[in-house]
Amino acid sequence: MEFNGKNVLVTGAASGIGAEISKNLASRGLKVWINYRSRPQEADDLKVEIEAQGGVAAVICFDVSDDKAFVEGIKTIIDSDGELSYLVNNAGITNDKLALRMKTEDFESVIKTNLVSAFVGCREALKVMSKKRFGSVVNISSIVAETGNVGQVNYTASKGGMLSMTKSFALEGSARGIRYNAITPGFIATEMTDKLSDEVKKGYTDKIPLKRFGSAQDIANAVAFLLSDEASYITGTTLKVNGGLYM
Ligand code: NDP
């Protein structure tokens, strides 16, 4: 795959899908800025692993739900390297409860971490990428944005908002050479899905046409494609990576 730009920022990159995206993009020649919130050791270990494979990486700590910190983080990258061509809004949380028991704060905190942070990232990307009239952003949403899910009115609202927001950013970014796309992963084997009981996991696996949970690599490969020049005619789309669970 061809990449015209040099630097990529991956949020929530110290674990799970974000870590795999970082390794994948570094292996394709991008300098990866590994954002983390509370896992300095994992972030450092990931940087070392990437460098051992001949890649280039830097670690950058900020909480994506703090908009000033996010803006400052992007400024740090520009001050250091003069450019940011790619952004992956991957950081995300769940706080599942049935709607009747969900406090307004439970709803707001998930919206803030998953959706407001992605807005701030997309907006700041628009500012810095406009200068070069080139850039590509991928937002990591979720299959449940498309299907709904019991116990996740907060999470589904945040991830559904990401999908429609991606389209609006795609329209605003198009004249400036910036593409915005989203991915809706199905069930992917990470810490987030480790929380599910074996019974629930088996129930989902039985329903997945490809009969397995996805891997973080499955998502990383889709991210790499959407960021790359091979996807230069693709913007405002949602790519489903879900083993056929929702078509
Ligand atoms: P993980 O919980 O393994 O990773 C999430 C990462 O986001 C963690 O490293 C976490 O860091 C980071 N993060 C959370 N809040 C913040 C914050 N405020 N600022 C900075 N970093 C933050 O989950 P996954 O790898 O599974 O999930 C990655 C993305 O994929 C998420 O957006 C998730 O919603 C989405 N997704 C996952 C699916 C799955 O099946 N696993 C399915 C569909 C979508 P920390 O621990 O320090 O908070």
Side-chain angles (χ1 to χ4, degrees):
M1 284 177 203
E2 294 286 317
F3 292 90
N4 242 316
K6 292 193 182 76
N7 286 269
V8 57
L9 168 62
V10 183
T11 67
S15 65
I17 293 171
E20 209 53 51
I21 293 170
S22 301
K23 285 190 261 183
N24 190 309
L25 296 176
S27 76
R28 296 176 194 276
L30 294 181
K31 173 171 176 179
V32 180
W33 287 81
I34 301 163
N35 160 253
Y36 73 94
R37 172 172 63 171
S38 69
R39 307 178 191 233
Q41 191 59 53
E42 278 111 313
D44 281 342
D45 289 349
L46 179 60
K47 178 178 185 304
V48 169
E49 190 182 338
I50 286 173
E51 287 170 347
Q53 309 278 328
V56 183
V59 163
I60 185 159
C61 175
F62 60 86
D63 180 336
V64 295
S65 67
D66 175 344
D67 63 340
K68 288 196 181 65
F70 203 149
V71 170
E72 199 50 42
I74 290 192
K75 186 173 178 301
T76 301
I77 296 171
I78 300 295
D79 288 348
S80 162
D81 290 356
E83 73 107 55
L84 179 67
S85 295
Y86 307 105
L87 168 67
V88 184
N89 282 311
N90 165 77
I93 57 166
T94 53
N95 185 0
D96 299 353
K97 288 180 181 82
L98 290 174
L100 280 174
R101 298 200 191 115
M102 191 178 286
K103 297 196 177 92
T104 308
E105 303 90 88
D106 299 327
F107 187 87
E108 284 175 343
S109 65
V110 171
I111 295 287
K112 187 145 196 251
T113 299
N114 295 0
L115 180 59
V116 179
S117 72
F119 157 69
V120 173
C122 288
R123 182 194 63 201
E124 294 308 302
L126 191 54
K127 285 183 197 162
V128 301
M129 295 173 191
S130 284
K131 294 194 179 118
K132 288 199 325 167
R133 304 191 83 72
F134 176 81
S136 180
V137 177
V138 172
N139 291 323
I140 306 296
S141 174
S142 170
I143 186 173
V144 295
E146 298 160 313
T147 61
N149 203 17
V150 171
Q152 293 199 310
V153 293
N154 50 4
Y155 184 74
T156 52
S158 71
K159 296 296 189 179
M162 267 179 135
L163 296 185
S164 39
M165 183 179 78
T166 299
K167 295 178 189 176
S168 300
F169 268 109
L171 288 171
E172 295 197 22
S174 57
R176 296 156 188 258
I178 305 161
R179 297 182 296 107
Y180 289 86
N181 290 292
I183 290 176
T184 47
F187 290 91
I188 308 300
T190 67
E191 269 178 42
M192 196 174 260
T193 46
D194 276 352
K195 293 178 203 158
L196 301 172
S197 69
D198 287 346
E199 198 187 339
V200 171
K201 279 187 203 162
K202 182 170 181 323
Y204 282 127
T205 307
D206 288 345
K207 287 189 194 134
I208 298 169
L210 292 181
K211 295 294 170 219
R212 66 170 174 91
F213 272 35
S215 66
Q217 289 96 317
D218 291 324
I219 305 306
N221 284 327
V223 170
F225 168 65
L226 285 175
L227 291 183
S228 77
D229 293 353
E230 274 80 356
S232 63
Y233 199 53
I234 302 177
T235 195
T237 201
T238 299
L239 180 55
K240 296 179 175 71
V241 186
N242 63 26
L245 183 57
Y246 178 78
M247 297 184 185

